[in-house]
Amino acid sequence: MSQNYNFSETETQINVKAMVRDFAEKHIRPNIMEWDEAQIFPVGLFKQLGEMGLMGVLVPEEYGGSGLGYQEYVDVIVEVARVCGSIGLSLAAHNSLCTGHILAFGNEEQKQRWLPKLATAEWIGAWGLTEANTGSDALRMMTTAVEDGDDYIINGSKNWITHGKSGDLAVVMVRTGDQGSSKGISAIVVERGTPGFSAGKKENKLGMRASETTEMIFDNCRVPKANLLGNVGEGFKQAMKVLDGGRISIAALGLGIAKGAFDAAVSYSKQRHQFGQPISSFQAISFKLADMATEIEAAELLIRQAADLKNRHLPMTKESAMAKYFSSEVAVKVSTEAVQIFGGYGYTKDFPVEKFYRDSKLCTIGEGTSEIQKIVIAREILRG
């Protein structure tokens, strides 16, 4: 760490955190179990978040966004996720993947056309890279886009897509060249309502159940060439850069879940009495809390480091992968220990920690598994 870092909170960050925390307590917490049980994706809530500027946190004001940086963005995701991981996940996918891709690689006409709708949540965004048989091996994707005059004709499907049904617009990675070639993939924007573009199976998930995850299906879907982001063959390189920022999102998501589970565990340990004293007074419990608190602090420092580099437009592939890997694993460990501290009550849906426990696991899988993060980190270390 040869960089100079300053993680002091700004007045803007303090105000953003307070605003988001207040909103989450009033509008998210009362509904989380209803949304979770029924797998309801609350579109109306995201419209409210859009009115607050939280669906375009990183989008410049000229395009209808809030024009904030990555530290504020981390605060937004953390404060939402410490109440509900599902809402945090959808907020992250919309902001950093779909909207972030267009912001980073769209031309001026494309930015003017799509960013104001996305930043205000007039439109919900999706991002399509993963396919059923490729997973982490994205270069083997089967979805193709073939030129036909002034259009592309897209055929294939994408899996595990956040907002794959409810999204109004999707940035889709398609094969325009040889399979297995990093220069054989392009990124194309497809709007909902385009003939041949439909939603497939909605996944019935362990956790993150209020964040919609579905297939996207393309059957001779005709899209104008004007919807191509950047140049032909740049899609894979674009996607990797988008995922660098996306890893900060998932790291923040994991941090929020860990903080939510930790807060619940601390509160419960003070209230729950056994053998005539609060269980927090027992070393077995207090040591768990000490470990949880230490790992949460360490995760936050890694995230703040990556966010600082991102804000300064400096290379941060290693740092974002480290933050994502460590924070997501911490989310699982902290939520697991929180369930243990709650004992039998932690295994019921009457208390919040079982949901943190279920939601946390996705953080170690989505936007690159923990194993993929280790590959990225090792590659960056050995390259140096």
Side-chain angles (χ1 to χ4, degrees):
M1 287 176 58
S2 58
Q3 297 284 343
N4 292 316
Y5 298 101
N6 180 2
F7 302 146
S8 299
E9 276 193 325
T10 64
E11 186 176 350
T12 300
Q13 278 183 264
I14 292 168
N15 292 335
V16 166
K17 284 172 73 171
M19 175 184 73
V20 177
R21 188 173 294 183
D22 182 63
F23 179 87
E25 290 296 334
K26 288 181 180 176
H27 300 284
I28 299 176
R29 193 177 294 281
N31 303 299
I32 56 177
M33 291 313 295
E34 177 190 352
W35 294 339
D36 183 80
E37 292 280 306
Q39 292 204 101
I40 294 168
F41 174 58
V43 175
L45 179 84
F46 288 93
K47 302 294 185 184
Q48 288 179 274
L49 290 167
E51 291 170 7
M52 295 168 65
L54 300 179
M55 296 292 272
V57 179
L58 302 164
V59 176
E61 292 180 26
E62 64 191 280
Y63 301 118
S66 296
L68 298 173
Y70 260 78
Q71 301 293 7
E72 291 85 359
Y73 176 55
V74 166
D75 289 326
V76 170
I77 301 299
V78 168
E79 291 303 320
V80 170
R82 71 194 299 168
V83 174
C84 180
S86 294
I87 306 304
L89 174 62
S90 280
L91 196 59
H94 173 94
N95 270 283
S96 74
L97 296 183
C98 176
T99 306
H101 197 140
I102 294 170
L103 179 62
F105 298 104
N107 59 38
E108 188 58 31
E109 186 275 330
Q110 291 169 332
K111 290 178 183 178
Q112 294 282 359
R113 179 179 168 191
W114 290 312
L115 288 179
K117 292 180 178 179
L118 290 166
T120 57
E122 178 184 344
W123 282 13
I124 303 291
W127 193 77
L129 174 65
T130 310
E131 297 183 3
N133 295 316
T134 58
S136 300
D137 189 11
L139 291 177
R140 306 283 176 210
M141 69 174 59
M142 302 294 290
T143 300
T144 58
V146 178
E147 291 187 54
D148 185 38
D150 292 329
D151 300 326
Y152 284 105
I153 298 177
I154 304 175
N155 281 286
S157 63
K158 296 290 178 180
N159 284 61
W160 314 110
I161 307 304
T162 305
H163 316 144
K165 179 180 180 182
S166 296
D168 300 283
L169 171 156
V171 177
V172 185
M173 267 48 70
V174 295
R175 189 156 56 80
T176 49
D178 295 335
Q179 191 177 53
S181 168
S182 62
K183 295 181 179 178
I185 294 170
S186 302
I188 298 177
V189 174
V190 186
E191 296 181 10
R192 184 68 61 189
T194 304
F197 177 30
S198 62
K201 175 189 175 187
K202 180 177 178 178
E203 303 297 341
N204 186 10
K205 298 177 296 183
L206 167 73
M208 300 290 195
R209 291 170 59 83
S211 179
E212 176 187 279
T213 306
T214 67
E215 285 180 303
M216 292 193 303
I217 298 170
F218 304 92
D219 182 10
N220 291 320
C221 178
R222 184 177 290 272
V223 179
K225 283 185 177 177
N227 287 19
L228 177 74
L229 294 174
N231 298 315
V232 174
E234 291 180 348
F236 184 76
K237 187 166 72 172
Q238 291 177 9
M240 293 306 101
K241 289 184 178 177
V242 169
L243 284 172
D244 274 350
R247 286 173 185 141
I248 297 175
S249 292
I250 302 301
L253 181 66
L255 178 62
I257 290 170
K259 285 188 173 187
F262 177 73
D263 291 345
V266 169
S267 177
Y268 182 80
S269 73
K270 291 177 179 178
Q271 297 167 11
R272 172 71 166 169
H273 281 66
Q274 292 281 273
F275 308 102
Q277 54 190 310
I279 63 172
S280 59
S281 67
F282 298 118
Q283 194 176 78
I285 301 300
S286 64
F287 276 18
K288 285 185 188 294
L289 295 173
D291 285 339
M292 293 156 78
T294 301
E295 294 198 336
I296 286 170
E297 292 276 347
E300 180 147 21
L301 285 170
L302 283 170
I303 294 166
R304 295 297 176 185
Q305 171 184 264
D308 182 65
L309 292 172
K310 182 72 174 173
N311 274 343
R312 292 192 278 152
H313 307 288
L314 294 171
M316 35 69 79
T317 298
K318 180 188 73 174
E319 289 79 6
S320 66
M322 284 179 167
K324 197 273 189 189
Y325 166 51
F326 188 76
S327 181
S328 62
E329 295 292 341
V330 166
V332 173
K333 290 166 69 175
V334 168
S335 59
T336 300
E337 290 288 45
V339 171
Q340 194 71 15
I341 289 169
F342 271 76
Y345 291 113
Y347 206 66
T348 72
K349 292 183 183 292
D350 295 331
F351 291 85
V353 288
E354 68 85 29
K355 183 176 181 298
F356 288 123
Y357 178 72
R358 289 186 290 110
D359 287 349
S360 67
K361 189 57 191 170
L362 186 276
C363 298
T364 70
I365 299 170
E367 293 191 37
T369 63
S370 289
E371 291 75 18
I372 289 293
Q373 304 313 313
K374 290 183 190 181
I375 291 171
V376 172
I377 295 163
R379 187 177 61 217
E380 292 298 311
I381 292 168
L382 296 171
R383 180 179 291 162

